[in-house]
Amino acid sequence: MSEIAANLSRIREQIKIACQKCGRDPKTVRLVAVSKKKPGQVISEAYAAGQQIFGESYVQEFTQKVEALQLPLEWHFIGGLQGNKVKYLRGKTALIHSVDRYSLAREISSQWGKIDATAQILLQFNLGRETSKSGADETEALDLARKICALPHLQVRGLMTLPPYYDDPEEVRPYFRRLRQLGESLAAENLPNLQMQELSMGMSHDFSVAIEEGATLVRVGTAIFGARD
Ligand SMILES: *Cc1c(COP(=O)(O)O)cnc(C)c1O
């Protein structure tokens, strides 16, 4: 078994264990393999080991890999996104995790409208209010969701967060919990085009805790593909 295949099987096992611990069905948690800064070769390897969903963070790298690989993968875009680059993603992503402002959502809606399609997106929140990270402020969540949900070619599927880093995943737990609560409060508003089905949270070192707090998409890079330069 290749190292990547072994890592994937270990992580799938850890996902199962986390689910058992909190009484969830493991099928409700999907693994997004974060392949940013890694060559296409490792994506092929992970795909051969049964991995379906891949997450990328940089537009140019993403489009190059999509072109080069030509595999029936489910591509997620998880990185910070500039409005003028949205056109390169058009029609190529199953889910964009990183929508944190109205202008970006409007551009995505306009681009997907051109191909008569509906973009699936998540709203990203910066719960730790770190200046280094993208994400909307939770105090503007309802306002932002209302405006974004009024756009024609979008479907909001849930929320995403990239919380502050702590060595001890227990210290990240409150952020995961807050994202879930924020999701519940937005779901109660019954906005059009909003289906609060996904919570994208948890990375290599804290995905088990994220699952206990309700994550449906865990974004794991290093634990699958090794450290990035
Ligand atoms: C890089 C990245 C990840 C993966 O982080 P690891 O610690 O390598 O698992 C997850 N989410 C986002 C948004 C990222 O940019």
Side-chain angles (χ1 to χ4, degrees):
M1 203 193 285
S2 79
E3 197 177 330
I4 287 173
N7 289 345
L8 279 167
S9 107
R10 189 188 64 248
I11 289 161
R12 289 189 195 119
E13 193 53 37
Q14 287 167 340
I15 289 174
K16 240 186 243 164
I17 290 167
C19 284
Q20 275 160 6
K21 207 171 151 188
C22 59
R24 293 184 58 190
D25 179 350
K27 287 197 199 76
T28 63
V29 180
R30 292 187 295 155
L31 174 62
V32 179
V34 177
S35 45
K36 66 181 181 206
K37 295 189 179 165
K38 294 288 177 183
Q41 168 60 28
V42 304
I43 296 178
S44 307
E45 236 181 88
Y47 176 70
Q51 179 62 28
Q52 272 290 326
I53 309 177
F54 292 84
E56 288 283 339
S57 294
Y58 306 102
V59 172
Q60 198 184 354
E61 185 184 339
F62 168 79
T63 52
Q64 281 169 356
K65 284 174 176 170
V66 172
E67 283 280 299
L69 287 165
Q70 300 286 341
L71 291 170
L73 308 177
E74 184 176 324
W75 291 106
H76 290 198
F77 193 83
I78 64 172
L81 188 51
Q82 288 170 269
N84 61 0
K85 302 234 171 114
V86 169
K87 56 179 179 284
Y88 302 115
L89 299 184
R90 184 176 60 211
K92 296 189 171 126
T93 56
L95 189 64
I96 300 175
H97 292 226
S98 45
V99 180
D100 61 356
R101 58 200 188 275
Y102 178 69
S103 62
L104 177 59
R106 194 182 50 201
E107 179 62 18
I108 293 170
S109 176
S110 144
Q111 290 296 337
W112 262 250
K114 289 180 186 179
I115 54 168
D116 204 18
T118 301
Q120 309 294 314
I121 66 165
L122 304 179
L123 303 182
Q124 179 179 355
F125 289 95
N126 184 2
L127 299 179
R129 297 208 167 101
E130 294 168 282
T131 49
S132 60
K133 287 178 181 162
S134 38
D137 194 284
E138 62 189 302
T139 57
E140 48 175 15
L142 182 55
D143 244 26
L144 185 68
R146 275 208 181 104
K147 282 169 74 184
I148 289 179
C149 288
L151 290 163
H153 303 288
L154 286 186
Q155 184 90 51
V156 178
R157 305 300 299 260
L159 308 183
M160 182 270 225
T161 195
L162 189 58
Y165 181 89
Y166 292 98
D167 284 330
D168 178 3
E170 281 303 326
E171 298 203 48
V172 195
R173 188 186 292 277
Y175 294 94
F176 295 146
R177 190 165 293 174
R178 252 159 69 203
L179 192 71
R180 187 185 70 215
Q181 288 164 346
L182 189 57
E184 285 164 1
S185 70
L186 289 177
E189 298 289 329
N190 290 315
L191 298 170
N193 302 322
L194 182 132
Q195 295 174 309
M196 197 55 73
Q197 293 171 330
E198 308 286 0
L199 289 176
S200 168
M201 55 190 199
M203 317 201 317
S204 287
H205 81 298
D206 56 14
F207 68 83
S208 294
V209 171
I211 288 169
E212 289 169 30
E213 294 300 330
T216 64
L217 291 162
V218 291
R219 309 179 309 264
V220 178
T222 312
I224 301 172
F225 299 117
R228 293 175 293 271
D229 334 303

